[in-house]
Amino acid sequence: MSQQTEQNARTVRRGGAAWALVITSVAGFMAALDNLVVTTALPSIREDLGGALHDLEWTVSAYTLTFAVLLMFGAALGDRFGRRRLFLVGITIFTGASAAAALAPGIDSLIAARAVQGAGAAIMMPLTLTLLTAAVPAAKRGMAYGIWGAVNGLAIASGPLIGGSLTEHISWQWIFWLNVPLGLALLPLARLRLAESYGTGAPLDIPGTLLASGGLFGIVYGLVRGPADGWTGSLVLTGLFAGAVLLVGFVLYSTRAKNPMLPMRLFRSRAFSGINAASMLMFLGMFGSIFLLSQYMQGVLGYSPTEAGLRMLPWTGMPMLVAPIAGILSDRIGGRPVVATGLFFQAAGLAYLASVITVDASYAAQLPGLIVSGIGMALFFAPASNLVMSSVRASQQGVASGANNALREVGGALGIAVMASIFSAQGGYETGQTFVDGLRPALVTGAAMVALAGVAALLIPGRRRDDRHLAETPTERAPQPVLETAAR
């Protein structure tokens, strides 16, 4: 074994599964939270910094764009140069950019800071799962993924609540200052308590990285700008068309490359293909629904941002209660039935909400839909992570996590874009009734997409291992990790 191979194979055990779970969950929470935390703070940001509506939209979109585009690249860097090392780099970038956003003197500098935030999150987020997987014994990963998924799901769903509460009671800058002490606390903990691990040691796939990043940029840019600029706008159409062409080129290139960033043969696995399709469709329905329902509670029912967020807790807070149980269930009976059940629950909850939404709907009428949707979301997160990570070899878990997160982000951007377009076509912000007229068909669309995700989940094999994609080629073959105990 060469010295370089020994270095790539070496893993140093530091603090065990509990520390890894705490560190990766908090890091994932920060990255996921910033997807939607800004939405309820936009009026206050505009009052302080100025800027047109187009500029305010970019304070949300800049983060989504760089986050989605760089996820697979961040995972590939971790596999090549050390997952813990790049995880630390990602936390540093994210924390520094959060401080820069809080101190931004104008709207342009805030948008720039948000873009850098997204880049740091793209490096940090996919490595949370690979680092957690390396630290937790296989028999207990379902429960660990359940807790990790609960924290991430709570962050995504409670972003508007946290952003609204901080803006209402302190100032909008605190939605960014919140990340700084968390990031500063994570840096020494991750350095001392996480194990270092590597992928195969293959060189970076530069052509694949450029094709994938460029393609995702074009697609996400078009999806983000479509509702605001119009789907026939020249820049929107150019972004969507060029992005699609580059992604097709990425697929064709990756089928022939010696060391591709994302081996296309992974998609021969029904498990890998099914869970990625389900994840993208689930995020499409979930993101768009939360985006519109949060506005409905404030704009139509008259709740403050904090009051609206509290009333969403039966949905948004449910992952903290149910997801760990879902993880344990997936260990015992397999991930497919738990994921599919969760998706059908969430689809039913959204369909119910679409049927009871009115301009003066009582909270009691909405509550069953919120609870059922929350249970469904909680049942999805933990087993989905387990299915992704168990569908590939250990050396490919970084890129698998990056691909899954990238597809989720694209699904989320697509969900907001599609459901906002349906909302605008069928209703609008003019009156409470026009808002409800647009919200109902949008929620029906969200329910349909999540139900379709449930169908995709049913195509995932059961406990019988679908391992055709696990056969190693000579260039991908990597030695088993050599474990060393740190004498500290």
Side-chain angles (χ1 to χ4, degrees):
M1 186 183 296
S2 68
Q3 182 177 0
Q4 179 64 36
T5 303
E6 288 179 358
Q7 181 181 1
N8 288 346
R10 187 175 296 121
T11 299
V12 182
R13 290 205 180 275
R14 305 226 169 187
W19 276 112
L21 180 58
V22 170
I23 293 167
T24 58
S25 295
V26 173
F29 180 89
M30 290 195 304
L33 178 70
D34 275 60
N35 263 308
L36 293 174
V37 73
V38 178
T39 53
T40 48
L42 292 179
S44 296
I45 292 174
R46 185 177 187 181
E47 184 178 342
D48 278 2
L49 302 183
L53 179 61
H54 172 84
D55 297 318
L56 292 175
E57 290 169 346
W58 270 111
T59 63
V60 179
S61 302
Y63 182 88
T64 303
L65 195 58
T66 54
F67 189 23
V69 164
L70 296 175
L71 272 165
M72 284 196 290
F73 183 51
L77 286 175
D79 286 349
R80 180 68 178 86
F81 298 109
R83 291 161 180 162
R84 186 189 65 188
R85 180 182 300 170
L86 265 294
F87 182 69
L88 292 169
V89 171
I91 293 174
T92 301
I93 294 173
F94 184 85
T95 304
S98 297
L103 295 170
I107 194 69
D108 292 336
S109 55
L110 176 60
I111 293 170
R114 287 284 288 165
V116 177
Q117 251 194 323
I123 298 171
M124 177 175 66
M125 187 66 171
L127 298 177
T128 59
L129 269 181
T130 50
L131 290 165
L132 182 60
T133 301
V136 178
K140 297 182 179 179
R141 283 176 188 160
M143 183 174 63
Y145 291 147
I147 297 171
W148 181 91
V151 174
N152 279 268
L154 179 65
I156 293 170
S158 63
L161 166 63
I162 294 174
S165 298
L166 290 173
T167 301
E168 185 178 342
H169 299 295
I170 308 179
S171 72
W172 66 263
Q173 285 89 349
W174 276 92
I175 64 179
F176 302 114
W177 281 128
L178 177 67
N179 295 322
V180 176
L182 291 176
L184 292 177
L186 285 180
L187 282 170
L189 287 176
R191 176 68 181 84
L192 296 173
R193 297 296 183 178
L194 289 181
E196 183 62 284
S197 63
Y198 297 82
T200 61
L204 283 177
D205 177 15
I206 301 301
T209 297
L210 294 176
L211 286 170
S213 299
L216 286 172
F217 181 87
I219 294 292
V220 177
Y221 178 87
L223 294 176
V224 166
R225 299 309 311 160
D229 297 347
W231 292 103
T232 58
S234 57
L235 287 178
V236 171
L237 290 176
T238 300
L240 292 173
F241 178 77
V245 169
L246 288 173
L247 288 180
V248 170
F250 171 70
V251 171
L252 295 175
Y253 164 82
S254 297
T255 59
R256 297 173 174 83
K258 184 178 180 181
N259 294 300
M261 179 174 66
L262 178 62
M264 288 296 111
R265 63 193 188 85
L266 292 180
F267 289 96
R268 297 176 193 167
S269 162
R270 283 170 53 201
F272 188 76
S273 297
I275 191 56
N276 277 288
S279 296
M280 186 173 73
L281 290 167
M282 185 271 190
F283 269 63
L284 192 159
M286 182 190 70
F287 258 63
S289 299
I290 291 175
F291 180 74
L292 290 174
L293 282 171
S294 177
Q295 296 182 67
Y296 164 74
M297 287 193 169
Q298 295 177 61
V300 178
L301 300 183
Y303 298 125
S304 71
T306 304
E307 292 170 339
L310 289 173
R311 283 164 175 76
M312 290 281 282
L313 276 179
W315 183 358
T316 60
M318 197 61 68
M320 292 299 293
L321 302 176
V322 178
I325 301 172
I328 296 172
L329 280 176
S330 72
D331 284 338
R332 294 183 177 177
I333 66 174
R336 178 183 66 173
V338 182
V339 164
T341 300
L343 291 169
F344 289 127
F345 264 54
Q346 188 168 356
L350 290 175
Y352 173 85
L353 285 170
S355 70
V356 301
I357 290 297
T358 63
V359 293
D360 56 355
S362 68
Y363 183 62
Q366 302 171 56
L367 191 58
L370 296 172
I371 293 173
V372 171
S373 294
I375 293 173
M377 185 169 68
L379 289 174
F380 170 84
F381 277 117
S385 301
N386 205 348
L387 286 169
V388 171
M389 302 305 278
S390 63
S391 67
V392 299
R393 299 195 314 274
S395 61
Q396 294 173 325
Q397 286 174 342
V399 71
S401 174
N404 182 256
N405 277 282
L407 288 171
R408 288 182 178 193
E409 288 301 310
V410 171
L414 181 62
I416 291 175
V418 169
M419 293 174 72
S421 296
I422 293 172
F423 169 81
S424 299
Q426 300 295 320
Y429 290 94
E430 292 81 11
T431 66
Q433 187 59 53
T434 58
F435 193 101
V436 169
D437 291 341
L439 177 60
R440 282 196 189 117
L443 288 178
V444 170
T445 302
M449 292 298 101
V450 178
L452 191 58
V455 174
L458 290 177
L459 300 178
I460 299 170
R463 284 193 176 272
R464 178 185 61 81
R465 192 166 182 82
D466 181 24
D467 58 1
R468 288 169 296 167
H469 64 294
L470 296 178
E472 294 181 347
T473 64
T475 57
E476 294 173 328
R477 197 170 287 127
Q480 293 298 313
V482 177
L483 302 181
E484 293 184 358
T485 304
R488 296 188 181 274

